C-alpha cells in the first residue's frame, strides 16, 4: 500500500483542499509561471498577455482585453455595452468597478408597455429602444487612469492593428452568426457586415472600428462620450428610433464600489455588489449550503444537487424582490447575507421532499438559455488579479450595428423589470426595486469573483450565462474547493441550475445519469435537460500551491488561456 501511495505521489500532488482527495494533475489546463489571461478568444487573451509580458500590470491588460474582445468577439465583447470588474491587488487591497449601462434620461417606467399595460414584444430586446447608455469605454479609461502603468497608446495600438488585420472566423462563430442573421435586418435599416455568409477560416476586418479606436486612443474617453464619436453615435441611435441623447453620453459615469465579501470554510469570496445581484446571491447560496457536507455527498450527487438547488431557489426569490440599483433603492444587503436570516431561510428545507417555489412566492415564467456575455480573468506577474464580466446582454446585443463606428449596441434595458411579475429574456422576474427610471442601472447577474484562501489569492473566476451566471460560478468554486478538481476540470464539469421561477432544475443535456434525474423527480423536483445546451461558459485562473498559475478555459466555447 505504501509503495502504491509513493508511486502515485510521483504523478499526483495533494493540494490542501477540504477532504484531501488527490487532485488529478493530468487534468490541468495551461500552467504558467508568472502571468495569465483567460478569455473567450485566443486573439484577446494574446493581446492581454502580451501587455503583461511588456511589463504592464493586470489593469493595463484589462483595458487591452476588454477592447480586444470588442474586435475578436463581437457576440458579447464590446464597446457598446458595459460590465463589472472585481480586483485584488498584490497587497491584498480589493475593490470593484461598475461600468454598467444606464437608462437614458428620457426613459420611463412604462416605456415597454402598450396602452393596455402589456409588455410590447421585442421592444426591450431588439433595436434602438433597447439600448442602455454604454459604459465600457469609460470603464477601460477609469481602470487605466487609476491603476494602469503603460501609456494608453501601448494598450490600444495592438487592438487597432487587430481590427485592421481582421479576425479568423471559428466554427462556433460561423454557427452563431448564422443563427442570429435573421434578426439583423429587423434591427437595422441598412445591411451590416454580419449579413454576409461567413464561413470558418474567413477573415472579418473591422476598418470602421479601427478608426473609432484610433480617435479614442488620441482623445481619450471623452471622444466616446462628448466628441465626434458621441455625436455620430447619438445621430445613429436616434435615426433608428432610439432615445439616447448627447446629454446621456455626456453624463455617463462609472462607479467604484465596495465588493461583497463573505467567508466559506477557509475561503474569502470577493464578488460584485449591486447593481449586480451576483455577489449577494452567491453569498446567500454559499452561506446556506456551508453547513452541509457536500464533499461527502459527492459531486453532482442527488443530495448535493438538492442542497444547492434549495439554496438557489431561496436566493433567487430574494433577488427578484429586493435587488436593484443601490443608487435608487435601499437594499437590505447585510440582512440578506446574515447567518441568522439564511438559517431561517433554509429551515423549511428537507432531504425528503422538494420545497415548492410557490410556497416561497408565486409566478409562472420561462427560462431562455444563452451565453452572450463574456468573462475574462487576469493574474499578472506582480500578483494583482482582476475578474471582469462584460456584456451586450443578448447575442450581438440589440442587433443594432453602427456600421459607421464599427460596433454593436447593447439591449441591456431588458435587464430592467418592464412590468412587475413579467419575466425578462432570462425568465427573471423583478419588482419595484428593478423598475425603469432615468439614469438608473438595470439589475445584473454578472458575478466576476476573486477567491482568497487563508489570506492569499486562490482564484479569479466568472462566466456569461444570464441568470445562470451565479450558479455556474458557484459550482466552479465548489468543484475546486469541495471536490478537488483542477481549474480546467472545474470549468468543464457538467452543471445544473435553479432560479426559483420557473420551478425547474435545468441540467446540461446528456451529462447527468438517468438514475440521478429520476431520484430527484421522485423527490418532487421538476427537471429539464433540453432547454439549456450549456449553463455558463466559465473562465478562471487558479493559483497552485507552488505559485504557478493554472488556466481553466471552458470547453463550451473558443475560450483560451495564454500566459508566460
Ligand atoms: O447583466 C446581466 O445579468 C445580463 N445582461 C447578462 C447577460 C448574459 O449573461 C448573456 N449571456 N448569457
Amino acid at each position: 500500500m505504501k509503495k502504491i501511495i509513493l508511486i502515485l505521489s510521483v504523478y499526483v500532488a495533494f493540494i490542501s483542499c477540504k477532504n484531501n482527495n488527490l487532485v488529478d494533475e493530468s487534468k490541468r489546463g495551461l500552467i504558467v509561471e508568472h502571468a495569465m489571461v483567460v478569455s473567450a478568444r485566443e486573439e484577446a487573451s494574446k493581446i492581454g498577455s502580451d501587455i503583461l509580458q511588456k511589463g504592464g500590470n493586470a489593469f493595463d491588460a484589462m483595458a487591452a482585453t476588454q477592447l480586444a474582445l470588442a474586435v475578436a468577439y463581437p457576440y458579447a465583447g464590446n464597446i457598446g455595452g458595459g460590465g463589472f470588474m472585481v480586483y485584488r491587488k498584490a497587497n491584498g487591497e480589493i475593490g470593484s468597478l461598475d461600468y454598467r449601462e444606464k437608462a437614458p434620461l428620457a426613459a420611463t417606467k412604462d416605456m415597454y408597455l402598450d396602452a393596455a399595460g402589456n409588455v410590447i414584444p421585442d421592444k426591450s430586446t431588439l433595436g434602438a429602444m433597447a439600448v442602455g447608455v454604454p459604459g465600457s469605454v469609460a470603464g477601460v479609461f477609469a481602470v487605466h487612469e487609476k491603476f494602469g502603468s503603460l501609456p494608453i497608446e501601448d494598450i490600444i495600438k495592438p487592438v487597432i492593428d487587430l481590427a485592421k488585420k481582421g479576425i479568423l472566423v471559428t466554427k462556433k462563430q460561423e454557427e452563431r452568426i448564422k443563427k442570429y442573421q435573421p434578426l439583423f435586418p429587423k434591427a437595422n435599416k441598412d445591411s451590416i457586415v454580419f449579413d454576409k455568409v461567413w464561413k470558418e477560416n474567413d477573415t472579418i476586418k473591422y476598418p470602421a472600428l479601427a478608426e473609432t479606436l484610433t480617435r479614442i486612443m488620441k482623445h481619450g474617453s471623452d471622444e466616446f462620450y462628448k466628441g465626434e464619436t458621441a455625436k455620430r453615435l447619438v445621430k445613429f441611435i436616434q435615426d433608428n428610433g432610439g432615445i439616447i441623447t448627447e446629454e446621456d453620453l455626456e453624463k455617463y459615469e462609472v462607479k467604484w464600489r465596495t465588493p461583497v465579501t463573505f467567508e466559506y470554510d477557509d475561503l474569502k469570496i470577493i464578488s460584485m455588489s449591486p447593481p449586480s445581484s451576483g455577489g449577494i446571491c452567491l453569498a446567500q447560496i454559499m452561506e446556506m449550503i456551508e453547513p452541509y457536507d457536500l464533499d461527502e455527498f459527492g459531486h453532482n450527487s442527488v443530495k448535493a444537487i438538492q442542497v444547492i438547488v434549495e439554496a438557489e431557489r431561496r436566493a433567487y426569490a430574494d433577488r427578484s424582490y429586493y435587488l436593484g440599483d443601490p443608487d435608487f433603492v435601499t437594499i437590505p444587503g447585510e440582512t440578506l447575507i446574515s447567518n441568522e436570516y439564511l438559517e431561517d431561510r433554509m429551515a423549511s428545507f428537507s432531504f425528503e421532499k422538494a420545497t415548492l417555489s410557490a410556497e416561497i412566492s408565486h409566478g409562472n415564467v420561462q427560462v431562455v438559455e444563452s451565453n452572450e456575455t463574456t468573462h475574462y480573468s487576469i493574474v499578472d506577474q506582480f500578483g494583482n488579479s482582476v475578474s471582469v464580466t462584460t456584456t451586450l446582454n443578448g447575442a450581438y446585443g440589440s442587433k443594432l450595428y453602427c456600421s459607421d463606428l464599427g460596433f454593436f449596441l447593447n439591449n441591456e434595458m431588458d435587464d430592467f423589470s418592464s412590468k412587475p411579475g413579467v419575466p425578462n429574456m432570462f425568465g427573471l422576474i423583478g419588482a419595484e426595486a428593478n423598475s425603469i427610471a432615468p439614469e438608473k442601472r438595470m439589475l445584473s447577474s454578472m458575478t466576476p469573483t476573486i477567491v482568497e484562501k487563508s489570506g492569499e489569492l486562490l482564484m479569479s473566476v466568472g462566466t456569461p450565462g444570464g441568470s445562470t451566471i451565479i450558479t455556474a460560478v458557484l459550482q466552479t468554486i465548489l468543484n475546486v474547493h469541495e471536490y478537488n478538481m483542477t481549474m480546467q476540470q472545474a470549468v468543464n464539469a457538467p452543471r445544473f441550475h435553479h432560479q426559483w421561477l420557473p420551478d425547474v432544475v435545468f441540467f446540461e443535456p446528456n451529462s447527468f445519469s438517468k438514475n440521478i434525474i429520476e431520484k430527484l423527480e421522485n423527490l418532487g423536483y421538476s427537471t429539464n435537460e433540453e432547454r439549456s445546451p450549456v449553463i455558463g461558459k466559465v473562465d478562471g485562473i487558479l493559483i497552485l500551491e507552488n505559485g504557478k498559475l493554472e488556466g481553466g478555459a471552458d470547453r463550451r466555447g473558443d475560450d483560451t488561456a495564454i500566459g508566460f
Side-chain angles (χ1 to χ4, degrees):
M1 195 62 186
K2 246 188 192 159
K3 200 170 157 201
I4 295 172
I5 291 173
L6 208 75
I7 292 168
L8 269 179
S9 66
V10 176
Y11 295 99
V12 286
F14 283 102
I15 64 170
S16 60
C17 287
K18 208 168 159 182
N19 57 10
N20 273 344
N21 279 346
L22 296 177
V23 173
D24 185 348
E25 291 293 331
S26 70
K27 298 274 169 60
R28 290 226 182 263
L30 177 73
I31 295 194
V32 298
E33 296 270 342
H34 306 292
M36 183 182 274
V37 179
V38 192
S39 83
R41 282 287 301 227
E42 184 178 350
E43 294 85 344
S45 296
K46 169 98 172 66
I47 281 185
S49 174
D50 286 352
I51 288 289
L52 297 174
Q53 201 140 29
K54 249 188 170 172
N57 63 26
F59 302 99
D60 296 313
M62 176 276 177
T65 308
Q66 172 79 35
L67 297 176
L69 282 166
V71 177
Y73 194 61
Y75 185 67
N78 68 81
I79 58 172
F84 297 104
M85 175 184 83
V86 171
Y87 67 86
R88 181 185 184 278
K89 289 171 68 179
N91 64 8
E93 188 186 314
I94 60 169
S96 65
L97 180 69
D98 159 1
Y99 57 99
R100 180 73 162 166
E101 298 91 328
K102 293 192 345 180
L105 286 158
T108 59
K109 191 169 168 175
D110 298 337
M111 64 190 278
Y112 298 116
L113 304 185
D114 64 17
N118 298 317
V119 173
I120 302 167
D122 294 341
K123 197 172 177 188
S124 67
T125 55
L126 194 62
M129 277 305 285
V131 182
V133 183
S136 290
V137 173
V140 161
F141 277 86
V143 170
H144 182 257
E145 206 173 289
K146 188 159 174 155
F147 296 122
S149 65
L150 295 182
I152 197 74
E153 290 76 16
D154 289 12
I155 290 166
I156 304 188
K157 185 74 182 29
V159 183
I160 295 170
D161 293 343
L162 182 70
K164 286 184 184 160
K165 185 171 133 234
I167 298 292
L168 220 53
V169 175
T170 64
K171 188 73 199 158
K172 290 191 168 103
Q173 191 177 12
E174 176 191 320
E175 286 159 9
R176 280 194 300 263
I177 293 174
K178 200 168 154 217
K179 177 171 170 193
Y180 290 99
Q181 244 165 10
L183 293 175
F184 296 144
K186 293 189 178 172
N188 294 280
K189 290 194 211 157
D190 300 319
S191 75
I192 65 169
V193 63
F194 297 97
D195 288 329
K196 244 188 81 179
V197 175
W198 291 103
K199 292 276 174 212
E200 188 180 7
N201 293 325
D202 286 348
T203 299
I204 312 184
K205 295 186 179 183
Y206 298 97
L209 182 54
E211 279 178 29
T212 301
L213 290 169
T214 305
R215 286 194 306 278
I216 291 173
M217 180 174 76
K218 281 194 190 138
H219 308 301
S221 185
D222 277 0
E223 171 61 29
F224 190 90
Y225 293 96
K226 296 177 186 164
E228 182 194 329
T229 303
K231 292 189 171 54
R232 281 158 65 174
L233 179 58
V234 166
K235 180 168 186 323
F236 172 76
I237 293 174
Q238 293 184 354
D239 282 352
N240 281 279
I243 55 171
I244 289 179
T245 60
E246 285 184 31
E247 191 185 357
D248 277 313
L249 286 179
E250 230 177 277
K251 287 185 84 173
Y252 182 84
E253 45 186 35
V254 301
K255 305 256 168 148
W256 293 94
R257 298 198 187 269
T258 306
V260 172
T261 55
F262 60 96
E263 276 163 24
Y264 180 92
D265 293 344
D266 56 351
L267 306 181
K268 178 177 168 190
I269 318 279
I270 305 149
S271 193
M272 195 63 218
S273 49
S276 181
S277 61
I280 288 187
C281 280
L282 186 65
Q284 287 194 302
I285 298 169
M286 291 192 83
E287 286 179 35
M288 281 189 268
I289 65 179
E290 193 179 14
Y292 298 89
D293 293 324
L294 291 184
D295 53 336
E296 277 171 28
F297 297 162
H299 178 244
N300 283 350
S301 62
V302 171
K303 280 181 112 174
I305 293 173
Q306 274 187 281
V307 171
I308 293 170
V309 160
E310 293 299 347
E312 288 174 353
R313 183 196 309 281
R314 288 156 174 82
Y316 276 84
D318 281 354
R319 176 198 193 277
S320 130
Y321 186 73
Y322 290 110
L323 303 187
D325 182 345
D327 298 338
F328 283 72
V329 292
T330 308
I331 299 172
E334 284 190 12
T335 308
L336 286 175
I337 65 171
S338 71
N339 278 330
E340 211 182 6
Y341 172 75
L342 294 169
E343 265 170 34
D344 190 49
R345 207 74 180 116
M346 270 308 250
S348 55
F349 164 61
S350 144
F351 280 111
E352 303 307 311
K353 191 168 155 283
T355 311
L356 294 179
S357 287
E359 285 166 8
I360 293 186
S361 191
H362 56 83
N364 179 25
V365 294
Q366 283 203 321
V367 134
V368 179
E369 167 278 329
S370 59
N371 275 294
E372 299 119 7
T373 296
T374 192
H375 174 85
Y376 50 97
S377 282
I378 303 174
V379 175
D380 71 18
Q381 61 278 32
F382 312 109
N384 304 301
S385 57
V386 304
S387 177
V388 183
T389 314
T390 179
T391 190
L392 290 165
N393 194 25
Y396 306 105
S398 61
K399 322 296 186 261
L400 182 65
Y401 184 78
C402 182
S403 298
D404 175 35
L405 300 171
F407 60 88
F408 278 107
L409 287 149
N410 69 81
N411 59 353
E412 220 72 59
M413 290 297 285
D414 189 63
D415 272 346
F416 279 118
S417 171
S418 292
K419 184 180 176 182
V422 176
N424 73 359
M425 64 187 267
F426 300 111
L428 292 166
I429 64 172
E432 191 51 38
N434 190 31
S435 62
I436 305 171
E439 295 201 272
K440 189 173 172 185
R441 280 149 148 93
M442 51 297 278
L443 183 62
S444 173
S445 301
M446 292 191 279
T447 314
T449 299
I450 289 178
V451 182
E452 280 179 12
K453 185 181 175 109
S454 311
E456 302 287 328
L457 177 64
L458 179 72
M459 193 191 298
S460 166
V461 66
T463 181
S467 55
T468 71
I469 289 176
I470 301 162
T471 54
V473 168
L474 164 78
Q475 287 166 74
T476 308
I477 297 172
L478 295 178
N479 288 347
V480 171
H481 177 70
E482 297 280 354
Y483 304 116
N484 295 353
M485 292 189 197
T486 67
M487 191 75 240
Q488 189 61 53
Q489 285 177 306
V491 305
N492 280 353
R495 292 187 276 264
F496 58 92
H497 171 74
H498 192 283
Q499 60 177 44
W500 175 50
L501 295 173
D503 193 347
V504 174
V505 191
F506 294 91
F507 295 91
E508 287 183 304
N510 311 318
S511 312
F512 290 78
S513 77
K514 275 218 156 56
N515 181 31
I516 290 202
I517 307 255
E518 262 170 38
K519 279 190 178 151
L520 287 165
E521 280 176 350
N522 289 340
L523 288 163
Y525 293 92
S526 298
T527 65
N528 184 318
E529 284 187 276
E530 276 126 50
R531 288 301 296 270
S532 293
V534 301
I535 292 176
K537 187 164 71 68
V538 181
D539 285 338
I541 301 174
L542 182 68
I543 319 301
L544 306 180
E545 284 214 324
N546 60 11
K548 293 185 185 180
L549 313 179
E550 184 200 348
D554 202 316
R555 64 178 164 91
R556 296 165 180 83
D558 293 320
D559 303 50
T560 310
I562 298 187
F564 56 90

